[in-house]
Amino acid sequence: MLETALLLPTKQYVHTLICTLSATSVGILGKAPDIISCNRMGCECHVLDDPQHRVLFALVAILVLTAVSLTFGPQTPQSPLMTGSPSAPATQVRQICIECGYPVASLYTEYGAGHIRLTQCDRCKSFADKYVEHDVIIMFIDMLLHKPQVYRHLLVNKLEFRKAHIEKNVGKLGILLILFSVYIDWFRLEEGGRLRGQSELLFGKQHSFALQYLFILGLSAVDAAALLGGILLASAIHQRSLMQLRWWATVSTALIVSSFGKVLMILLVIWKYNESYYPWLLDFLVFTSHSTAISVLFDINVLWAGQVVVFSTAFKQLVHLAALTLSSLFFA
């Protein structure tokens, strides 16, 4: 298997890596290998029709390389996830200046109903958290611009997001993203089936609408859980500690909040963009947003955070492959 995978043409190997990580295609790489079907919503990897195990080899290679690299990363014992506890009282949870990361006693002082004065950071002399007075639209624009300050406000200074469980509204958003992912994945599978001349959606056989929907819903939920598990596993390797596993709810919040780019995928359905690089750009937006959020949580350089996200994405795809393999036995 290893020799067969290594002897692949360079374009096919690179294309397989891209398909493995983002399920999208880049047209400049030339014709896709036979295990990839591309359409305007991205590409579908036919891992079950891959006797040479090209996708599996790419996944294992990415996991091993990123894991080895992360072991040499700098530890950050003073990061928000390495200090305190999710079950600690709100008065004991550390808040920071969103500009320089210096701890502050409070974000503002309240002088009666509706009158507050923002706290000034002792180190950089800026307001500790200007987003206290900003509305959601301003924060969303700054998230699009990948400003770490807005992620520090949401993930560190917003105390309801730093508890031992996922905040209710964030949980609803997470469920909405999974349901949205079901629609996008269904569209990709149908388009990929048309390209292959296949009318059946699941494993080349006809199934009821309800069964198809439940299958893709379950697969999307497994993918979301696997992505979270990959982030936690990568952070444990990077920090050489299991302490941040207690903050699974905060990490989940970071992934949900930074997944806003997935919603933009609906534009590809409404306006029918046919260029293959549009879904790739949206996947890249989600990747960079995840990296920014993780860098804020773990207080690490965004390049190290990017490796954490690459590891978790490859881990998710490996779990996805295992789920498809088991499902193919059930639907056979």
Side-chain angles (χ1 to χ4, degrees):
M1 179 184 73
L2 179 60
E3 293 179 356
T4 304
L6 287 176
L7 292 175
L8 287 173
T10 304
K11 286 186 178 181
Q12 290 193 8
Y13 184 70
V14 174
H15 208 143
T16 301
L17 287 176
I18 292 176
C19 183
T20 299
L21 285 177
S22 67
T24 57
S25 171
V26 179
I28 60 173
L29 294 176
K31 188 179 183 298
D34 54 358
I35 62 169
I36 303 175
S37 292
C38 300
N39 55 75
R40 62 187 175 89
M41 292 302 295
C43 288
E44 178 193 357
C45 300
H46 312 303
V47 291
L48 300 181
D49 300 323
D50 182 23
Q52 294 179 324
H53 304 288
R54 288 169 284 187
V55 173
L56 180 61
F57 174 80
L59 284 171
V60 174
I62 292 170
L63 283 172
V64 172
L65 291 175
T66 51
V68 171
S69 178
L70 287 171
T71 57
F72 295 98
Q75 291 180 277
T76 53
Q78 297 304 315
S79 70
L81 293 190
M82 297 297 288
T83 56
S85 170
S87 56
T91 54
Q92 297 181 12
V93 178
R94 187 183 71 172
Q95 294 178 302
I96 62 174
C97 169
I98 63 172
E99 301 294 340
C100 66
Y102 192 72
V104 294
S106 63
L107 302 180
Y108 59 87
T109 303
E110 188 170 1
Y111 297 99
H115 299 281
I116 63 173
R117 180 181 180 183
L118 297 180
T119 301
Q120 194 175 34
C121 175
D122 293 333
R123 175 192 284 177
C124 67
K125 307 304 178 183
S126 301
F127 288 129
D129 193 341
K130 61 184 179 182
Y131 291 105
V132 171
E133 296 184 322
H134 288 181
D135 56 22
V136 177
I137 301 299
I138 299 297
M139 287 190 283
F140 180 74
I141 293 174
D142 284 350
M143 288 172 65
L144 281 174
L145 297 175
H146 288 48
K147 291 187 176 181
Q149 292 89 339
V150 68
Y151 285 104
R152 291 192 184 106
H153 165 76
L154 292 172
L155 304 177
V156 180
N157 288 344
K158 221 168 172 53
L159 299 182
E160 57 266 34
F161 290 173
R162 295 186 62 186
K163 295 182 179 179
H165 55 82
I166 300 176
E167 199 267 338
K168 181 175 65 174
N169 292 325
V170 175
K172 292 179 180 178
L173 178 59
I175 294 175
L176 182 64
L177 287 172
I178 290 177
L179 295 177
F180 182 79
S181 178
V182 171
Y183 175 76
I184 296 299
D185 290 344
W186 199 321
F187 191 93
R188 278 178 172 171
L189 285 170
E190 285 188 336
E191 289 292 309
R194 290 192 186 98
L195 291 174
R196 301 191 308 272
Q198 221 176 45
S199 58
E200 294 80 9
L201 182 63
L202 299 181
F203 308 108
K205 296 185 178 181
Q206 188 67 41
H207 299 283
S208 65
F209 174 86
L211 183 60
Q212 292 178 11
Y213 183 85
L214 290 175
F215 172 78
I216 300 177
L217 175 61
L219 198 60
S220 298
V222 168
D223 286 348
L227 182 64
L228 171 62
I231 292 287
L232 295 175
L233 179 59
S235 65
I237 295 173
H238 180 258
Q239 298 293 331
R240 275 83 79 185
S241 171
L242 299 178
M243 287 185 60
Q244 59 269 41
L245 298 183
R246 302 175 301 170
W247 294 93
W248 67 270
T250 304
V251 176
S252 299
T253 299
L255 292 177
I256 293 171
V257 169
S258 59
S259 295
F260 61 88
K262 292 183 179 180
V263 181
L264 301 178
M265 190 73 75
I266 195 66
L267 300 178
L268 302 181
V269 178
I270 297 175
W271 282 288
K272 295 184 179 181
Y273 294 104
N274 294 317
E275 289 78 3
S276 60
Y277 58 83
Y278 282 146
W280 184 86
L281 288 176
L282 290 180
D283 279 336
F284 184 73
L285 173 64
V286 175
F287 170 80
T288 53
S289 300
H290 284 341
S291 300
T292 304
I294 294 302
S295 69
V296 167
L297 273 186
F298 299 139
D299 193 22
I300 56 178
N301 185 279
V302 70
L303 296 179
W304 289 109
Q307 292 188 52
V308 171
V309 178
V310 167
F311 178 94
S312 62
T313 307
F315 180 80
K316 180 196 74 172
Q317 292 296 91
L318 188 62
V319 174
H320 184 92
L321 170 58
L324 282 179
T325 304
L326 293 176
S327 300
S328 66
L329 300 176
F330 174 78
F331 285 102

